[in-house]
Amino acid sequence: MQDLLPEKQEIFRHIAHTIGDVLSAYGYREVGLPLLESTGLFERVVGEATDIVEKEMYTFDDRNGDSLTLRPEGTAGCVRFAQQHGLAFNQVQRFFYAGPMFRYERPQKGRYRQFEQIGVECFGMAGPDIDAELLMLLGRIWRELGIVGSVELELNSLGSADSRAVYRKSLVEYLSQHKAGLDADSLRRLETNPLRILDSKDPGTREILAGAPKLNEFLDEESKLHFDDLRRTLDRMQQPYRVNPSIVRGLDYYNRTVFEWTTDKLGAQGTVCGGGRYDGLFEQVGGKHTPAVGFAIGLDRLALMLEPGYEHRPEADIYVVSAGAAARTSALMLAEQVRDGFPALRVQVHCGDGKFKSQMKRADAVGARLALIIGEDEVAADTVSVKHLREEGQQVSVGSGALNDYLAKVFV
Ligand code: ATP
Ligand code: MG
């Protein structure tokens, strides 16, 4: 689990704001969801035989003996939330949420045990149009973040639950004839979750998979039409994508459209966003049929991408320096006046005594463009001395009441 230094946190906040703005421009509303849910919810929704439930959850008993789990992903909680508040069945909803997720994984670059996601879930829309809109929305997010050239959209269709069952059977039949060449994990999955073998990274297993039956040959007619329509729409909207038949996603609940956005800028941890449809999930957890589609963006990996060229804002735009007890109060008052007039400017007051010289050093160190200087003379004359720190030796005296007008000309 990482501590985030201010520079890093600033990037996270920029990313979260940018994404939040795009989402609200598309009519998505933010919801606040608990970091904990009952363990059974994740077992039912994410699936017993997934990596997450098998080995990645932080699970504990509370004082009442109830088993709780720190959320490893957001869809389960959001589905629980929508059911509980009657916000899904027979309705159209566009929700998003932001915050930390927890998975017991091997920590490395781009993979942490607490990480940030922004998740989006759409309820009540069955057609490929909403799938397309979500992908266009993501394209816009990458453009706003300035990384559109570094990410690629990979698409697949998993078909219906029924067509997947038929495919699963045929895949198991094929792989059972090649057991000797499979890695240990894949052998185990052959019994528990054979589709997950498709994203095995083991070279031997990959070789065997090359000759395996393909999921797209088993798609049911409706899923095929859905996928063709989505592809046509993306083509017309000039959103590039690549069909990647080995995308199966790590969670059990998906059907039809699944997608990942990947980058080659982060080494092995190259997926920055994953999602897809989960039309059967509400029924699976005891609700009524509600078509649904969503995705989750991993903010930590985006932050790694943005970090190298990120232009941090200075700690302060204006630094207020003072000498003497009377001036100290004037400094605080003046700073409030500036904040009233310029809410977006960063104004820092030097608190605690200090020599004038060291205060000015500090003003420079925090990157301020202006120092506002208040000494005994200024207090007596009700003025402030304004020193420009980034331009050649200018210092001007301004009446306190005229300061905001002066600043308006500097910070246009
Ligand atoms: P991966 O294949 O990299 O393990 P995943 O399929 O487990 O990813 P999802 O559950 O789809 O990931 O989560 C969506 C996004 O959340 C991922 O694309 C990734 O950007 C981010 N993410 C997932 N796990 C982690 C983690 N442990 N640390 C940082 N980010 C993560
Ligand atoms: Mg994972």
Side-chain angles (χ1 to χ4, degrees):
M1 293 175 183
Q2 325 174 74
D3 295 318
L4 299 178
L5 295 168
E7 290 74 22
K8 189 83 178 204
Q9 183 66 24
E10 184 185 347
I11 300 177
F12 270 82
R13 194 203 274 228
H14 164 69
I15 295 171
H17 275 176
T18 305
I19 297 176
D21 285 350
V22 174
L23 286 169
S24 45
Y26 279 74
Y28 287 75
R29 293 186 301 158
E30 185 169 9
V31 294
L33 303 172
L35 302 191
L36 293 165
E37 296 280 352
S38 71
T39 303
L41 178 73
F42 298 113
E43 289 169 348
R44 283 198 307 281
V45 169
V46 178
E48 302 258 14
T50 57
D51 281 355
I52 288 181
V53 172
E54 273 183 350
K55 51 187 189 200
E56 294 177 359
M57 297 204 302
Y58 284 93
T59 297
F60 65 97
D61 287 347
D62 71 4
R63 289 172 190 276
N64 199 27
D66 294 325
S67 180
L68 301 179
T69 294
L70 284 170
R71 62 180 188 190
E73 58 91 61
T75 300
C78 196
V79 165
R80 194 267 312 139
F81 151 86
Q83 280 242 103
Q84 192 170 326
H85 298 277
L87 292 173
F89 177 59
N90 255 344
Q91 296 172 52
V92 167
Q93 300 285 4
R94 290 173 159 92
F95 291 133
F96 75 100
Y97 46 83
M101 304 292 159
F102 304 85
R103 296 183 193 176
Y104 189 82
E105 303 205 68
R106 195 169 65 79
Q108 54 201 285
K109 185 184 168 202
R111 192 175 293 288
Y112 312 99
R113 291 179 170 178
Q114 175 177 334
F115 57 97
E116 291 288 317
Q117 280 188 348
I118 290 185
V120 166
E121 318 289 351
C122 301
F123 302 140
M125 291 165 275
D129 45 359
I130 184 67
D131 301 10
E133 191 195 61
L134 284 179
L135 295 169
M136 299 308 291
L137 182 163
L138 282 161
R140 188 177 297 273
I141 287 174
W142 313 138
R143 283 202 299 284
E144 292 289 321
L145 290 173
I147 56 168
V148 71
S150 310
V151 290
E152 193 193 15
L153 170 58
E154 301 185 35
L155 264 190
N156 193 21
S157 175
L158 299 179
S160 65
D162 288 346
S163 71
R164 220 168 3 151
V166 178
Y167 171 66
R168 181 192 306 233
K169 215 167 139 228
S170 138
L171 181 68
V172 169
E173 242 163 57
Y174 169 83
L175 291 174
S176 300
Q177 291 159 16
H178 297 84
K179 270 188 181 168
L182 294 179
D183 61 288
D185 255 354
S186 297
L187 261 182
R188 195 171 44 83
R189 287 188 171 133
L190 196 52
E191 311 293 328
T192 56
N193 196 350
L195 261 66
R196 278 314 304 277
I197 300 175
L198 295 178
D199 54 25
S200 164
K201 309 234 157 38
D202 179 80
T205 300
R206 293 232 57 88
E207 214 168 285
I208 292 171
L209 284 172
K214 300 282 177 283
L215 180 55
N216 59 2
E217 292 157 8
F218 286 73
L219 289 190
D220 56 292
E221 205 44 44
E222 271 187 68
S223 295
K224 218 186 264 170
L225 289 173
H226 186 105
F227 197 44
D228 288 345
D229 188 322
L230 173 60
R231 293 179 56 178
R232 261 199 313 277
T233 309
L234 294 176
D235 289 339
R236 284 203 55 192
M237 298 182 87
Q238 298 185 354
Q239 169 58 55
Y241 60 86
R242 187 164 71 82
V243 174
N244 178 353
S246 67
I247 291 185
V248 291
R249 312 281 304 126
L251 306 86
D252 273 358
Y253 48 63
Y254 289 107
N255 68 298
R256 288 199 180 158
T257 315
V258 288
F259 56 86
E260 292 185 355
W261 292 81
T262 55
T263 178
D264 58 10
K265 305 272 183 259
L266 296 176
Q269 269 56 252
T271 307
V272 294
C273 171
R277 296 203 74 85
Y278 49 97
D279 298 320
L281 185 55
F282 276 89
E283 276 166 297
Q284 195 185 305
V285 297
K288 298 203 177 99
H289 177 73
T290 306
V293 57
F295 61 74
I297 304 176
L299 269 53
D300 298 77
R301 293 179 191 176
L302 293 181
L304 287 172
M305 289 179 78
L306 292 188
E307 208 167 17
Y310 196 84
E311 282 186 36
H312 289 279
R313 284 184 65 186
E315 214 174 296
D317 300 303
I318 295 176
Y319 197 81
V320 188
V321 159
S322 68
R328 202 181 301 145
T329 309
S330 300
L332 289 169
M333 288 168 65
L334 207 69
E336 291 300 325
Q337 175 191 317
V338 175
R339 292 177 184 123
D340 286 343
F342 306 91
L345 281 187
R346 302 177 174 200
V347 182
Q348 228 179 59
V349 177
H350 187 95
C351 290
D353 286 326
K355 290 206 187 75
F356 178 72
K357 207 170 158 196
S358 68
Q359 292 194 39
M360 290 304 286
K361 235 187 208 159
R362 181 81 197 133
D364 187 52
V366 298
R369 205 167 139 198
L370 296 184
L372 303 183
I373 302 162
I374 304 157
E376 278 167 24
D377 294 349
E378 282 84 359
V379 173
D382 195 21
T383 60
V384 51
S385 297
V386 182
K387 186 165 172 59
H388 291 247
L389 301 173
R390 308 290 147 198
E391 292 127 71
E392 269 306 299
Q394 294 179 50
Q395 181 163 324
V396 289
S397 176
V398 182
S400 300
L403 178 63
N404 282 19
D405 288 341
Y406 180 83
L407 294 178
K409 283 183 216 127
V410 178
F411 295 95
V412 273

